[in-house]
Amino acid sequence: MSSTKDGSIALFASDTVAAGEACANMAAVVRRQLELLGEDPERDGLLKTPERVAKSLTWLTRGYSLNVHDAIGDALFEVDSESMVMVRDIELYSLCEHHMLPFFGKAHIAYLPNGKVVGLSKLARVVEVFSRRLQVQERLTEDIADALEEVLRPAGVGVVIEAVHLCMMMRGVEKQNSQTITSALRGAFRDDGRTRDEFLRLAHNGGSYHR
Ligand SMILES: [Zn+2]
């Protein structure tokens, strides 16, 4: 692709080659994992598994190649309102960094605008940027709050995440139904009791994650 005059296309093409190589390397590791588990990677059902796992893992961690500014794009709008903006029940799926097993649940996000608001659907995109990586729930919650603080410069921001962790559910016996709840509170959400109470009441109002 070096013959192209468009530098960005050349870069993109070499990125694609690198991504393909990374995927093949990962597939080789998965194949070896299957052997170490005592499986036969040559049997019918497993033949394409290494490649599938490599692709799916790449997709599930695509947050590494995303960033908040791209996710929000130009969906920032000037406003006069200082009323709380809140989006509840944003679905999230992530992988715990300790076991690389899924944890999943809901995020509730609110902020107090300070001249700027973001398109509501973009909040879910911000969640994707940070959840599609190896994470711990506490850091994921902080990452989302930090990003919104940086982009919106709001008077306050609050993030609550309620999630269940397969590493707890599948491995333990006592934790089958336990949810982990984390929160990150900034600005007025941390310093002003009424704002904090209003947010937490809205966040927890029927917010349990049950299937
Ligand atoms: Zn875990």
Side-chain angles (χ1 to χ4, degrees), residues 18-34 49-61 64 95 100:
E21 267 175 35
C23 210
N25 288 340
M26 204 178 315
V29 172
V30 174
R31 194 190 140 89
R32 180 68 186 131
Q33 265 183 323
L34 288 172
T49 297
E51 196 185 327
R52 285 194 201 100
V53 172
K55 279 186 182 162
S56 118
L57 207 49
T58 303
W59 193 83
L60 294 173
T61 55
Y64 289 121
L95 293 172
M100 292 176 70

Side-chain angles (χ1 to χ4, degrees), residues 95-103 135-136 165-168 171:
L95 293 172
C96 85
E97 69 183 20
H98 301 137
H99 307 92
M100 292 176 70
L101 285 170
F103 67 94
Q135 273 287 10
V136 295
H165 293 245
L166 287 191
C167 63
M168 287 164 77
R171 302 178 328 128

Side-chain angles (χ1 to χ4, degrees), residues 77-85 111-117 155:
F77 309 100
E78 311 277 324
V79 288
D80 286 333
S81 162
E82 293 175 358
S83 305
M84 186 187 295
V85 177
Y111 62 96
L112 287 173
N114 180 23
K116 274 190 283 187
V117 293

Side-chain angles (χ1 to χ4, degrees), residues 1-207:
M1 283 295 146
S2 55
S3 61
T4 178
K5 287 175 184 169
D6 186 331
S8 65
I9 289 175
L11 181 64
F12 180 72
S14 63
D15 279 358
T16 307
V17 171
E21 267 175 35
C23 210
N25 288 340
M26 204 178 315
V29 172
V30 174
R31 194 190 140 89
R32 180 68 186 131
Q33 265 183 323
L34 288 172
E35 286 171 354
L36 291 171
L37 290 171
E39 267 291 357
D40 170 14
E42 297 299 324
R43 75 176 171 82
D44 256 9
L46 291 180
L47 266 181
K48 291 189 173 166
T49 297
E51 196 185 327
R52 285 194 201 100
V53 172
K55 279 186 182 162
S56 118
L57 207 49
T58 303
W59 193 83
L60 294 173
T61 55
R62 68 190 185 283
Y64 289 121
S65 58
L66 302 174
N67 71 62
V68 174
H69 297 282
D70 290 344
I72 288 181
D74 53 6
L76 281 177
F77 309 100
E78 311 277 324
V79 288
D80 286 333
S81 162
E82 293 175 358
S83 305
M84 186 187 295
V85 177
M86 175 157 186
V87 177
R88 276 183 48 100
D89 296 332
I90 299 170
E91 268 191 69
L92 77 87
Y93 298 89
S94 191
L95 293 172
C96 85
E97 69 183 20
H98 301 137
H99 307 92
M100 292 176 70
L101 285 170
F103 67 94
F104 55 96
K106 303 267 168 91
H108 315 299
I109 298 176
Y111 62 96
L112 287 173
N114 180 23
K116 274 190 283 187
V117 293
V118 62
L120 293 179
S121 66
K122 301 297 181 182
L123 293 177
R125 302 273 300 274
V126 172
V127 170
E128 287 278 301
V129 170
F130 297 104
S131 60
R132 299 304 193 169
R133 308 174 180 205
L134 302 185
Q135 273 287 10
V136 295
Q137 186 177 328
E138 294 87 341
R139 191 177 64 231
L140 172 60
T141 315
E142 299 287 335
D143 284 348
I144 295 168
D146 287 345
L148 292 174
E149 213 175 23
E150 189 203 320
V151 173
L152 291 171
R153 301 272 166 219
V157 61
V159 179
V160 166
I161 293 178
E162 308 175 82
V164 293
H165 293 245
L166 287 191
C167 63
M168 287 164 77
M169 298 171 78
M170 294 177 75
R171 302 178 328 128
V173 279
E174 298 162 33
K175 293 168 179 167
Q176 302 281 316
N177 293 312
S178 70
Q179 281 191 68
T180 304
I181 301 177
T182 48
S183 63
L185 304 171
R186 304 285 154 77
F189 285 77
R190 180 190 56 219
D191 303 331
D192 181 89
R194 281 176 57 187
T195 303
R196 181 174 59 238
D197 291 350
E198 184 186 357
F199 167 61
L200 293 177
R201 185 175 48 77
L202 290 169
H204 293 305
N205 184 14

